[in-house]
Amino acid sequence: MSNPVLYNYDLDENCYKVRLLLSCLGIEAETIAVDVFPGNEHLSPAIRAMSPKGSLPVLKQGDLVLHEAEAILAWLARSQKPDKGFLPNDPDTFAHVMMWLAFSARELDVAVRARVTAMMDAPGDIDALRSGAREALRIMEDHMTRQHFDDVEYVAGARATIADIALFPSFALSRDYNIDHDAFPALRRWARAVRRIDGFITMPGIPDYH
Amino acid sequence: MSLRDWYPLALSRDITPGTSAGTRVEGHEFVVWRDAGGAAHIWEDRCPHRGMKMSFGFVRGDHIACLYHGWQYDSEGQCRHIPAHPDLDVPATIRIARFAVLEAGGIIWGCFNEVDGNLPRAPELPAATTPVRSLFIDCPAQRLTALIADIPFEGSAPNVTTRTGRIVGITLGDNVLIAAVQPVSGSESALHLIATGALESQHLKQISTWSEQLRREVEALTSKDNDGEIAA
Ligand code: FES
């Protein structure tokens, strides 16, 4: 089977989720750079033929074309290296992973928009976006606090799943939209656990502690 | 800086060896970090180079490094290494202000008045405690301390047993807790919760749920106070 093709923008946190999982799975992908800012290339007919809203990332493998980071993460985890456990089969754990993927796509969307508004001057009410993002991070903080009472280090259990990959960037990049990590001790501990996953890589804005 | 008392800054558990975090007391910014040997440090959160936050940096052994240009400071606050000038004998004047630190009851406390020798009396707390969690709440510390007993726990009212400065003793059902209140700024506080004795995870979760409700209700009341002020 040929390598998957990823339409990627380096500063997009949703593209980073896919790059991160690819790296953790040890899969090579062919990456095609899309000039989102300032080029607006994601709105080109070629990208829109694959992703109607022009959203990135897009992943292609043969005839299969996928958009939406969560779907791409699920497909990669299930089809490429299922034994690595990033999308567990056990129904309860699977459902928890789905729950947090939905959270990442819905509740954390304000965090994605807060960052784009703060960094790239996209339109938006930055105060409202930031307070929405903080609300979402607090829900994650409360959840990880409970996990830690049971000595569980990851979002859906003792092992890292695509839920961790999907939630990580909004927290790791929160300083880009002016939310410090100070008020989130459980998320700091969790972020350290995410950094320990084999194959972990960073993106611009997430420091590499060399 | 006045701040002549001991202020609670974090649960000891949450600052593991080799990690750091930023914090504030009455709006002043500090970095709390723990070296690889286990000693906690509280410094001004400002790198002498260009003033970036040290809390964004990272700990290596008994040094903390600034994220921006990698200047490294030893546990005395003295700059020891400047990557851009690796052979330079760093002048003794490049150092970061340090503050008194102690750990009691599973909490890291800082005192920020640098008058030598005369530290205030250490907070008296039981030796056997279980850390619960720290919560950050948009509410002034005094108001939070006053409201803490108002949120029912599993249907019954909490019982405040002691109030000494920033330390509130509180009974929630069968759980005996201590809440240490950190005045983060004029409008924000941190609540550091510990339990006396050992506690099972099930009880820790109940207390955590209670504390989240406390945060919600206290913030709702505080924003009502603020709206009232604006209207008045
Ligand atoms: S600001 Fe700290 S090293 Fe430059």
Side-chain angles (χ1 to χ4, degrees):
Chain A
M1 211 164 43
S2 58
N3 288 337
V5 179
L6 172 66
Y7 292 81
N8 173 65
Y9 178 53
D10 271 343
L11 298 181
D12 180 318
E13 59 192 275
N14 285 310
C15 293
Y16 166 60
K17 294 173 187 175
V18 175
R19 297 198 303 274
L20 176 55
L21 182 64
L22 285 165
S23 173
C24 294
L25 295 174
I27 298 172
E28 296 282 331
E30 185 192 329
T31 305
I32 296 182
V34 180
D35 176 19
V36 171
F37 188 83
N40 268 333
E41 220 189 316
H42 59 304
L43 301 176
S44 66
I47 301 289
R48 290 203 125 162
M50 297 184 287
S51 170
K53 286 187 305 173
S55 67
L56 293 178
V58 170
L59 190 93
K60 246 173 90 171
Q61 167 101 63
D63 290 340
L64 178 75
V65 180
L66 297 171
H67 54 88
E68 302 312 314
E70 292 75 19
I72 295 170
L73 295 178
W75 182 78
L76 284 170
R78 182 55 48 91
S79 68
Q80 305 292 305
K81 298 267 178 78
D83 50 304
K84 291 226 173 190
F86 279 92
L87 183 56
N89 278 320
D90 156 63
D92 295 16
T93 318
F94 179 83
H96 278 114
V97 172
M98 290 299 125
M99 205 169 85
W100 288 105
L101 288 187
F103 182 89
S104 124
R106 191 179 51 216
E107 268 78 9
L108 284 180
D109 184 54
V110 283
V112 175
R113 282 158 48 212
R115 178 166 168 268
V116 179
T117 302
M119 290 186 76
M120 295 170 210
D121 263 352
D125 175 348
I126 186 65
D127 293 332
L129 291 170
R130 190 184 295 124
S131 89
R134 187 180 74 157
E135 208 47 50
L137 292 176
R138 279 179 165 185
I139 291 172
M140 288 164 58
E141 168 76 14
D142 295 344
H143 173 66
M144 286 317 301
T145 299
R146 282 187 180 69
Q147 295 290 80
H148 292 157
F149 289 145
D150 293 325
D151 288 321
V152 169
E153 296 297 331
Y154 294 98
V155 167
R159 294 179 59 180
T161 65
I162 54 175
D164 298 282
I165 307 254
L167 297 180
F168 179 71
S170 283
F171 177 63
L173 294 164
S174 72
R175 286 160 181 160
D176 283 352
Y177 54 92
N178 249 314
I179 294 186
D180 269 334
H181 289 178
D182 305 7
F184 303 98
L187 293 183
R188 292 200 303 266
R189 169 168 161 187
W190 165 70
R192 291 196 294 274
V194 171
R195 284 174 175 273
R196 288 195 300 268
I197 301 172
D198 267 351
F200 176 82
I201 51 169
T202 58
M203 69 168 272
I206 302 181
D208 215 345
Y209 302 123
H210 28 95
Chain B
M1 213 180 312
S2 50
L3 310 184
R4 259 203 74 71
D5 202 355
W6 288 105
Y7 289 83
L9 301 176
L11 296 183
S12 297
R13 172 198 70 192
D14 288 340
I15 308 292
T16 49
T19 68
S20 62
T23 192
R24 283 175 294 149
V25 177
E26 307 283 14
H28 300 278
E29 294 179 338
F30 304 101
V31 54
V32 184
W33 66 282
R34 198 184 289 284
D35 61 40
H41 307 273
I42 299 167
W43 295 0
E44 191 183 4
D45 196 6
R46 196 175 173 283
C47 177
H49 179 219
R50 296 266 177 86
M52 307 308 278
K53 286 189 175 190
M54 290 306 297
S55 54
F56 287 10
F58 51 94
V59 181
R60 284 288 173 273
D62 62 355
H63 285 50
I64 183 164
C66 178
L67 185 63
Y68 294 90
H69 317 93
W71 288 25
Q72 281 185 31
Y73 301 85
D74 69 14
S75 53
E76 307 289 296
Q78 171 63 45
C79 183
R80 290 288 173 201
H81 182 66
I82 296 179
H85 305 280
D87 299 327
L88 179 76
D89 204 5
V90 183
T93 47
I94 305 181
R95 51 166 55 237
I96 304 181
R98 300 181 303 146
F99 302 100
V101 56
L102 69 81
E103 298 194 58
I107 294 175
I108 301 178
W109 304 78
C111 176
F112 304 98
N113 198 306
E114 283 192 290
V115 185
D116 297 72
N118 266 329
L119 287 171
R121 244 185 27 182
E124 276 168 43
L125 292 165
T129 58
T130 305
V132 183
R133 65 178 297 188
S134 296
L135 277 102
F136 293 76
I137 305 181
D138 292 344
C139 173
Q142 280 203 332
R143 181 108 169 99
L144 175 63
T145 311
L147 287 170
I148 202 163
D150 289 3
I151 312 305
F153 174 80
E154 306 278 309
S156 52
N159 184 21
V160 169
T161 50
T162 55
R163 268 183 221 272
T164 352
R166 275 168 267 285
I167 304 172
V168 183
I170 181 166
T171 312
L172 297 179
D174 295 335
N175 310 298
V176 181
L177 298 189
I178 289 163
V181 183
Q182 173 185 356
V184 171
S185 72
S187 58
E188 302 154 284
S189 313
L191 188 68
H192 305 286
L193 285 172
I194 56 174
T196 61
L199 236 58
E200 283 171 26
S201 118
Q202 176 203 347
H203 295 121
L204 291 167
K205 287 177 189 170
Q206 284 173 341
I207 296 166
S208 197
T209 303
W210 167 81
S211 70
E212 289 157 24
Q213 187 59 25
L214 172 75
R215 184 178 62 200
R216 266 190 290 275
E217 296 202 13
V218 164
E219 288 190 348
L221 283 171
T222 310
S223 82
K224 232 195 240 159
D225 295 352
N226 296 343
D227 290 351
E229 261 168 45
I230 293 164

